[in-house]
Amino acid sequence: MRVDFTGKTVVITGASSGIGSEFARAFAAKGCRLIMVARREDRMRELAGELGVPCEILTADLSREEECNKVIETIAGQGAFALINCAGFGLLGATVEHSIEEELGMIDLNIRAVHILTRRFLDLRRESGSGAILNVASCAGLLPAGPYLNTYYATKAYVASFTQGLAEELADMKSGIYVGALCPGPVYTEFTKVARGKEWASALTPEKVVSYAVKKMEKGKKLIVPGAGVRFGLFGTRFLSRHRTARIIGFGQRSRVEE
Ligand SMILES: NC(=O)c1ccc[n+]([C@@H]2O[C@H](COP(=O)([O-])OP(=O)(O)OC[C@H]3O[C@@H](n4cnc5c(N)ncnc54)[C@H](OP(=O)(O)O)[C@@H]3O)[C@@H](O)[C@H]2O)c1
């Protein structure tokens, strides 16, 4: 499958920061019309001002089901070709130290919003038989467990699994709609600040992640893992037990927890 984004309308959630902002820049460079979604309107307005392509800004808290539905209702009829589900966050620290409300908010955003938007965007595109959805999971979603970033790892496992399964179903149906999961390792964004932890010792830039992702999407790749080091690390876990892998990850994530 080849996917051509040139001049199309692309919806990007989490466009106010980090990887989502970078997707906005990348698709603007392809002459796309953008629909940007996040809570911080000022950030999106500032970015839109730099891009030089038509941009619509939708302010929404996607952890709320009714706001996800409102986004879909707003974009229906606008011929949006692609959806990039990028909004998400994590919380560093022991699970029992987090408030259950914050954890449920994470599940609502990282899982429920991605599920609702993916399903409803597919409904919008099904008749045309073309379009594209990229769900930003994480390499966390391809690993057994992530102690001290625990709920986050579990949410990303859902996103990776759901997206990969959906992509296979669409392939069986010979659908022209592309569905893929992006699974980056560490990336320098606002993620760590939001997660209330210490910055990654080493990470990729959002520019690198997004330019790699867009190239792979254009080739129809269903599972996209940027960074040779991350791919090598994931390969290495095949030789370890799930328990051992989770212990190693836990050691790393615990060292990032602010005292
Ligand atoms: N950075 C990494 O190391 C890394 C690695 C793998 C995967 N990822 C994934 O990449 C995606 C983007 O994260 P990032 O690294 O770019 O972090 P980021 O800079 O913190 O960006 C997160 C984005 O999500 C939006 N968002 C958060 N809560 C929201 C809500 N309730 N409703 C709507 N939008 C919301 C934020 O916008 P507002 O605050 O304006 O709403 C922001 O635009 C996430 O799904 C993350 O899990 C990140």
Side-chain angles (χ1 to χ4, degrees):
M1 177 189 273
R2 292 264 156 189
V3 188
D4 182 9
F5 293 95
T6 316
K8 307 265 173 64
T9 297
V10 181
V11 183
I12 304 167
T13 75
S16 63
S17 170
I19 299 170
S21 290
E22 203 48 47
F23 268 115
R25 290 190 188 94
F27 286 115
K30 291 187 177 294
C32 295
R33 173 180 173 262
L34 304 179
I35 303 178
M36 301 198 252
V37 190
R39 292 167 303 180
R40 286 171 294 177
E41 188 181 345
D42 52 338
R43 288 284 203 96
M44 292 187 285
R45 289 225 173 277
E46 201 182 314
L47 178 59
E50 292 168 18
L51 296 178
V53 292
C55 294
E56 182 169 342
I57 286 156
L58 302 180
T59 311
D61 178 351
L62 297 173
S63 64
R64 299 165 67 93
E65 184 172 342
E66 64 274 21
E67 300 207 13
C68 293
N69 288 333
K70 218 163 105 192
V71 166
I72 292 292
E73 279 150 28
T74 309
I75 66 173
Q78 292 199 37
F81 174 79
L83 167 67
I84 313 295
N85 271 314
C86 195
F89 78 99
L91 286 174
L92 276 155
T95 309
V96 293
E97 301 292 338
H98 299 143
S99 82
I100 191 160
E101 290 76 17
E102 255 186 323
E103 298 254 313
L104 289 175
M106 191 197 308
I107 291 167
D108 286 341
L109 180 67
N110 295 9
I111 296 180
R112 274 177 68 86
V114 171
H115 192 110
I116 294 166
L117 294 175
T118 300
R119 271 294 281 108
R120 296 204 60 195
F121 192 78
L122 264 180
D123 288 346
L124 293 181
R125 294 301 313 175
R126 257 180 98 173
E127 210 170 300
S128 77
S130 69
I133 301 174
L134 182 77
N135 288 336
V136 182
S138 165
C139 73
L142 306 175
L143 290 162
Y148 303 97
L149 194 55
N150 187 26
T151 306
Y152 175 78
Y153 270 64
T155 65
K156 294 300 182 176
Y158 180 93
V159 177
S161 170
F162 173 70
T163 308
Q164 206 175 347
L166 188 58
E168 292 307 329
E169 288 176 7
L170 290 170
D172 284 345
M173 290 172 197
K174 311 245 176 300
S175 166
I177 303 174
Y178 164 83
V179 173
L182 173 61
C183 296
V187 189
Y188 289 123
T189 64
E190 292 174 19
F191 179 90
T192 303
K193 191 172 134 216
V194 175
R196 301 198 286 266
K198 295 179 197 156
E199 192 51 273
W200 306 108
S202 144
L204 294 182
T205 61
E207 292 85 340
K208 233 180 185 155
V209 168
V210 168
S211 71
Y212 182 84
V214 171
K215 273 187 213 132
K216 295 294 176 183
M217 287 166 78
E218 286 172 334
K219 290 183 180 157
K221 190 143 191 336
K222 296 174 192 150
L223 185 65
I224 304 170
V225 183
V230 177
R231 289 193 293 277
F232 183 73
L234 285 171
F235 179 75
T237 64
R238 291 186 195 178
F239 304 101
L240 298 173
S241 66
R242 284 177 67 87
H243 167 74
R244 176 68 55 156
T245 304
R247 294 290 300 169
I248 294 168
I249 294 166
F251 179 78
Q253 296 300 359
R254 194 176 189 176
S255 70
R256 301 179 62 228
V257 177
E258 292 283 11
E259 299 307 323

